[in-house]
Amino acid sequence: MLNFTIIVGQTEYDVIEDLNCYVKKYSIGGAEPILNYVEVPYRSIPLDMTEAVGDGVFYKNRTLTFPMRAKDNPVITHKNIENLFSGRVCKIKVQDDPYYYSGRVKVGALGTENSAWDFDFTMIADPYTYKDMNVAFSSPDTTTITNNGIPVIPTVTTSGAITMAVNEGSAVSLTAGTYKDARFRLVSGENTIVTTGDSNVTLIYREMVL
């Protein structure tokens, strides 16, 4: 049976168990790239400027649509779901996918041409899907972290004074505290982190993949 989970704030809702609905099917729109071609006089082939500005390709939002059917009491069920989610920024976890979608939700009208118990649950989602990462290790150490998503700057927390270098960059001296620094940028793929000094170190970041 199809199912998905909706998270709003700190609360997680299972559609079948908590929201009293069946999921008939779902549609996950693709992340359409934003292409930029420039016509140049006296040139047959336009210049491709898609990646000329910024870091890589940019994408438009994607649309997720979940046709749902109330198990019973359709009017009350639909009203409860509207009150919980309509217009709010939520996260959606789809079965068997370790990443989640994030975006603003719309709850469609109750009743379709096929059934008075049906309605659409729609999210206008970011193009990327996310996975919250929390990596902890003890310093001194040489640690390898694999970032499966696009480059990201983690939040670094250390319990004591350390130096820290990422991917053979310059060592940065840190006292106990929390930091977000571009010098700790994680590239896509493997990242080598070298620390000195006795401390417990934590890196928190979100993997972002299409």
Side-chain angles (χ1 to χ4, degrees):
M1 181 180 295
L2 294 177
N3 195 14
F4 66 100
T5 302
I6 309 166
I7 302 169
V8 57
Q10 301 298 315
T11 307
E12 188 167 324
Y13 299 88
D14 181 280
V15 169
I16 295 175
E17 297 299 326
D18 300 323
L19 300 179
N20 196 42
C21 286
Y22 297 115
V23 185
K24 299 166 58 181
K25 58 182 179 179
Y26 58 77
S27 170
I28 298 176
E32 181 182 348
I34 301 172
L35 306 180
N36 183 13
Y37 292 97
V38 178
E39 301 288 343
V40 179
Y42 311 110
R43 181 184 171 100
S44 298
I45 302 174
L47 290 178
D48 185 352
M49 304 295 288
T50 302
E51 299 181 66
V53 179
D55 190 3
V57 179
F58 295 94
Y59 300 87
K60 298 179 182 179
N61 285 350
R62 66 170 88 219
T63 300
L64 283 64
T65 304
F66 300 85
M68 295 164 63
R69 172 170 291 176
K71 292 183 184 178
D72 52 40
N73 300 318
V75 173
I76 298 302
T77 297
H78 179 261
K79 186 182 295 290
N80 288 341
I81 290 175
E82 275 195 311
N83 283 316
L84 283 171
F85 306 114
S86 189
R88 302 189 67 181
V89 173
C90 303
K91 301 174 183 177
I92 286 180
K93 293 181 179 179
V94 179
Q95 276 179 318
D96 303 322
D97 187 349
Y99 293 83
Y100 62 84
Y101 298 88
S102 179
R104 201 167 290 279
V105 163
K106 298 188 296 183
V107 179
L110 177 63
T112 67
E113 61 182 16
N114 297 318
S115 173
W117 295 47
D118 292 355
F119 59 95
D120 284 342
F121 188 96
T122 304
M123 170 181 276
I124 308 302
D126 299 342
Y128 287 97
T129 60
Y130 303 101
K131 186 178 181 181
D132 295 327
M133 306 297 292
N134 189 321
V135 179
F137 59 92
S138 297
S139 178
D141 196 11
T142 298
T143 303
T144 299
I145 294 177
T146 300
N147 173 28
N148 293 310
I150 64 175
V152 63
I153 299 173
T155 298
V156 178
T157 300
T158 173
S159 63
I162 62 170
T163 67
M164 178 169 162
V166 178
N167 295 327
E168 300 182 349
S170 299
V172 180
S173 296
L174 304 175
T175 57
T178 299
Y179 303 86
K180 197 174 183 72
D181 192 309
R183 291 172 290 183
F184 303 145
R185 182 175 184 263
L186 303 179
V187 300
S188 300
E190 290 192 349
N191 295 266
T192 301
I193 299 175
V194 179
T195 59
T196 64
D198 295 329
S199 177
N200 295 316
V201 181
T202 303
L203 273 66
I204 296 175
Y205 61 98
R206 290 197 305 179
E207 278 192 350
M208 300 170 56
V209 303
L210 290 178

